[in-house]
């Protein structure tokens, strides 16, 4: 996939693959969408897929697989121990990253469980560029504390900084000076930083952080789940890396970290999780935990078919046409929304487009879950399922007070090779209609609020009759159209 210039001047992303297996989608009328979002308690996690037209909840486990991945799945070697399929995955990881020891797990958070149990001790600190929900939970469960050291630009919604996911070296040095390196269990870098809008870090930044860690003997754990997008950004935004191949960049990154892990639901376009390292000592520390929590060392809770698909998916990720697909579609989505005045996170990152709900709905206070209200409204406007990334995703403090999120975002994930450009244009159209009618959108209040993980299971209701009014306006503007 690449961006091409049209004869008449426009530049658009162009898919360099063809679609050979399709899945029928249903776009239900707005009246049905009104019922469906009410039944789901205004929580997009609780919508049924039959009521969803474009599922932009996540890119996790839902990227399109290739003909080669499907073919490889047919020759998987199914055995409890010594599977030839696992040997293939080890060889592929060695080839791409130069890392020798490979441990399997059933998905990314399972890798986090293993790593946290092996290395986090009560009272330790784990500096990160930014946390991810499951990562933080595992660190905290093992008695550690997360310190976020992303550059200040990272949490500014609009910016033109090319690497908003960079860790701030000065903040790291200050942290080490304050607490001493001995208190640090490990430092974690998340590539393609998820919760701040899929924003990348640079190779130069990783080198700088490595130098500080070397000086103080701190181990680096690298979460490579969103590596594909970050590779594209390093190649296209980092001057010094322009002439490097994707493979060269991968090798350079892997040589700077001690342990790498990833969710293969994202990297590798299949389903599973992998931990890899060149440290025999680290490998031995984690090995028993894998057999206890995941499965034997040559499958680790994954189906061997998926392991075959991951090995092929990793090889396909070395192709620039492949890694550019996600970011270029996302950039197109973000730029088209921006042209229509819709407030979005800039510059466009990986994973998906991110809408700034506070600027979209300035009249809906955070107490009424601005981002959740916008996610529900986007579903009503077009059967499009996004994910709330705001106050609803936070937990209340010990006194029961709300913890207001720094950013109220709706994430519209763009799984790789799944959507066509006309579907992206449909998303742009329905969201810009919603933006023009934003005054109609109101807030939400909890009707069922679980103590833990309320963003997964919680249910909310509109604070007024705004959803029926919005649906009526939709019918008035779009006539018979769905
Ligand atoms: N690390 C990052 C950066 C992630 O984005 C995720 C998952 C994980 C770890 C955990 O991996 O789901 O395989 O257990 N992110 C998904 C998302 C859930 O929708 O962004 P997992």
């Amino acid at each position: 996939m690449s961006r091409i210039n049209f004869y008449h001047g426009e530049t658009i992303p162009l898919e360099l693959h063809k679609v050979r297996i399709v899945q029928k989608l249903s776009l239900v009328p707005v009246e049905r969408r009104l019922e469906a979002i009410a039944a789901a308690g205004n929580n997009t996690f609780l919508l049924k897929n039959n009521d969803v037209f474009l599922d932009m909840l996540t890119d996790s486990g839902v990227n399109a697989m290739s003909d080669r991945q499907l073919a490889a799945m047919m020759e998987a070697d199914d055995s409890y121990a010594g599977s030839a399929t696992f040997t293939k995955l080890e060889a592929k990881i060695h080839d791409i990253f130069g890392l020798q020891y490979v441990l399997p797990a059933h998905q990314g958070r399972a890798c986090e469980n293993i790593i946290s149990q092996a290395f986090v001790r009560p009272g330790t600190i784990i500096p990160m560029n930014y946390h991810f929900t499951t990562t933080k939970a595992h660190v905290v469960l093992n008695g550690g504390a997360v310190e976020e050291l992303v550059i200040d630009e990272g949490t500014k919604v609009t910016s033109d900084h090319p690497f908003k996911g960079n860790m701030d070296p000065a903040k790291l040095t200050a942290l080490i000076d304050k607490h001493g390196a001995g208190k640090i269990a490990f430092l974690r870098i998340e590539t393609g930083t998820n919760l701040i809008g899929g924003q990348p870090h640079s190779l130069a930044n990783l080198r700088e952080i490595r130098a500080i860690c070397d000086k103080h003997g701190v181990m680096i754990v690298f979460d490579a789940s969103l590596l594909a997008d970050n590779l594209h950004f390093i190649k296209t935004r980092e001057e010094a890396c322009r002439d490097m191949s994707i493979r060269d960049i991968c090798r350079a990154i892997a040589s700077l970290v001690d342990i790498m892990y990833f969710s293969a639901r994202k990297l590798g376009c299949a389903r599973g999780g992998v931990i890899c390292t060149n440290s025999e000592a680290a490998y031995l520390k984690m090995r028993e935990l894998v057999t206890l929590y995941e499965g034997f060392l040559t499958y680790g809770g994954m189906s061997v078919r998926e392991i075959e698909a991951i090995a092929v998916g990793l090889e396909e990720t070395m192709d620039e046409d492949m890694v550019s697909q996600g970011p270029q579609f996302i950039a197109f989505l973000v730029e088209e929304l921006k042209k229509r005045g819709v407030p979005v996170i800039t510059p466009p990152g990986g994973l998906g487009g991110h809408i700034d709900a506070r600027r979209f709905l300035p009249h809906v206070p955070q107490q009424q879950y601005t981002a959740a209200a916008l996610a529900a409204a986007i579903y009503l406007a077009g059967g499009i399922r996004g994910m709330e990334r705001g106050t609803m995703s936070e937990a209340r403090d010990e006194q029961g007070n709300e913890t207001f999120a720094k950013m109220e975002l709706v994430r519209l994930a763009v799984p790789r090779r799944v959507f066509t450009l006309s579907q992206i244009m449909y998303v742009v159209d329905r969201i810009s209609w919603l933006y023009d009618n934003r005054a109609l959108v109101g807030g939400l209040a909890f009707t069922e609020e679980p103590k833990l993980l309320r963003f997964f299971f919680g249910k909310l209701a509109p604070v007024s009759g705004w959803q029926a009014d919005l649906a009526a306006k939709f019918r008035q503007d779009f006539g018979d159209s769905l």
Side-chain angles (χ1 to χ4, degrees):
M1 168 135 156
S2 63
R3 278 184 97 90
I4 58 145
N5 294 331
F6 271 10
Y7 183 49
H8 287 295
E10 260 182 290
T11 302
I12 62 159
L14 179 71
E15 297 91 337
L16 291 182
H17 55 254
K18 62 180 173 181
V19 178
R20 295 171 64 208
I21 296 180
V22 296
Q23 179 182 1
K24 182 153 174 26
L25 292 171
S26 58
L27 174 51
V28 297
V30 70
E31 291 75 15
R32 171 64 206 149
R33 301 201 289 268
L34 189 59
E35 288 167 10
I37 199 68
N42 284 279
N43 181 344
T44 56
F45 274 103
L46 301 181
L47 283 165
K48 299 269 189 282
N49 258 2
N50 287 346
D51 292 318
V52 172
F53 179 48
L54 298 180
D55 189 359
M56 304 182 89
L57 188 74
T58 179
D59 64 341
S60 173
V62 292
N63 293 304
M65 294 175 86
S66 70
D67 49 356
R68 290 182 189 175
Q69 283 183 296
L70 293 176
M73 289 172 95
M74 297 304 289
E75 34 174 73
D77 177 24
D78 220 343
S79 55
Y80 187 89
S83 161
T85 289
F86 187 72
T87 309
K88 260 191 226 174
L89 177 67
E90 280 180 318
K92 186 53 68 190
I93 289 196
H94 186 70
D95 169 38
I96 292 178
F97 299 110
L99 299 173
Q100 196 182 341
Y101 299 103
V102 179
L103 288 166
H106 77 275
Q107 61 183 86
R109 66 200 70 182
C111 302
E112 291 168 344
N113 174 37
I114 306 287
I115 294 168
S116 300
Q117 285 209 40
F119 300 104
V120 176
R121 295 288 167 265
T124 54
I125 298 170
I126 295 81
M128 303 183 181
N129 49 347
Y130 210 76
H131 81 280
F132 183 69
T133 50
T134 54
T135 330
K136 187 171 176 176
H138 281 295
V139 164
V140 171
L141 210 62
N142 285 282
V146 169
E147 285 278 353
E148 280 168 350
L149 306 180
V150 74
I151 56 169
D152 290 344
E153 203 73 11
T155 49
K156 283 193 194 138
V157 178
T158 55
S159 160
D160 53 10
H161 196 294
F163 293 108
K164 283 165 77 178
N166 279 352
M167 182 178 275
D168 188 330
K171 288 186 191 170
L172 176 59
T173 307
L175 182 92
I176 296 174
D177 287 348
K178 185 168 169 206
H179 298 283
K183 269 208 121 182
I184 298 178
F186 56 80
L187 174 145
R188 172 177 171 276
I189 296 285
E190 182 179 308
T191 199
T193 328
N194 190 330
L195 296 188
I196 57 168
Q199 296 293 325
H201 63 81
S202 66
L203 185 58
N205 181 249
L206 191 58
R207 284 209 181 98
E208 215 174 332
I209 299 301
R210 174 80 265 174
I212 299 172
C213 288
D214 276 347
K215 204 165 130 196
H216 298 278
V218 172
M219 178 170 94
I220 299 185
V221 173
F222 185 77
D223 180 345
S225 305
L226 291 163
L227 182 63
D229 297 335
N230 207 120
L231 288 169
H232 169 77
F233 291 124
I234 288 178
K235 171 118 185 104
T236 54
R237 294 183 186 173
E238 193 164 351
E239 197 54 48
C241 302
R242 240 197 214 133
D243 296 329
M244 291 171 83
S245 67
I246 294 293
R247 211 174 268 276
D248 293 338
I249 301 170
C250 267
R251 278 287 181 131
I253 289 176
S255 73
L256 295 167
V257 305
D258 298 289
I259 296 177
M260 192 175 105
Y261 76 92
F262 57 91
S263 167
R265 299 176 66 82
K266 293 181 185 275
L267 183 63
C269 291
R271 281 145 291 261
V274 179
I275 306 174
C276 35
T277 180
N278 271 337
S279 157
E280 191 185 9
Y283 167 77
L284 291 176
K285 244 181 148 175
M286 295 184 282
R287 192 170 66 173
E288 287 84 35
L289 294 167
V290 169
T291 44
L292 261 183
Y293 289 97
E294 299 301 309
F296 192 66
L297 293 179
T298 50
Y299 71 94
M302 281 186 274
S303 133
V304 282
R305 286 165 196 78
E306 296 290 342
I307 300 177
E308 286 280 350
I310 295 168
V312 175
L314 287 175
E315 182 56 43
E316 290 180 350
T317 303
M318 296 303 101
D319 177 354
E320 285 174 43
D321 291 342
M322 158 68 181
V323 293
S324 61
Q325 143 101 84
Q328 288 184 353
F329 258 58
I330 291 161
F332 182 82
L333 168 68
V334 168
E335 282 155 17
E336 291 298 317
L337 285 170
K338 209 172 130 187
K339 271 189 215 165
R340 290 159 179 77
V342 177
V344 279
I345 287 207
T346 57
L351 210 169
H354 293 75
I355 302 183
D356 182 1
R358 282 168 91 174
R359 277 191 296 142
F360 198 115
L361 301 175
H363 55 285
V364 177
Q366 278 187 291
Q367 287 90 331
Q368 293 180 7
Y369 310 104
T370 322
L374 183 58
I378 289 173
Y379 172 73
L380 277 172
I384 301 153
R385 166 153 73 165
M387 187 189 283
E388 191 269 358
R389 285 290 184 200
T391 297
M392 190 180 161
S393 295
E394 301 283 334
R396 287 182 190 267
D397 67 15
E398 273 152 27
Q399 286 74 45
N401 300 315
E402 280 292 358
T403 317
F404 295 116
K406 279 189 214 141
M407 297 199 252
E408 290 283 338
L409 306 179
V410 175
R411 176 177 95 176
L412 299 169
V414 180
R416 280 144 211 89
R417 304 185 286 205
V418 171
F419 296 128
T420 60
L421 211 58
S422 55
Q423 288 170 330
I424 297 291
M425 280 311 293
Y426 167 86
V427 173
V428 170
D429 181 73
R430 289 304 189 257
I431 292 179
S432 67
W433 171 82
L434 186 65
Y435 188 61
D436 289 347
N437 289 281
R438 60 192 179 277
L440 289 176
V441 179
L444 300 172
F446 269 105
T447 53
E448 286 174 40
E449 185 181 354
K451 273 220 161 67
L452 265 183
L453 301 174
R454 64 181 190 177
F455 63 96
F456 277 142
F457 317 121
K459 292 194 165 185
L460 306 97
V463 294
S464 65
W466 66 265
Q467 294 188 331
D469 296 344
L470 188 67
K473 181 70 168 45
F474 180 95
R475 186 52 71 224
Q476 188 188 326
D477 288 353
F478 288 98
D480 287 343
S481 174
L482 298 171

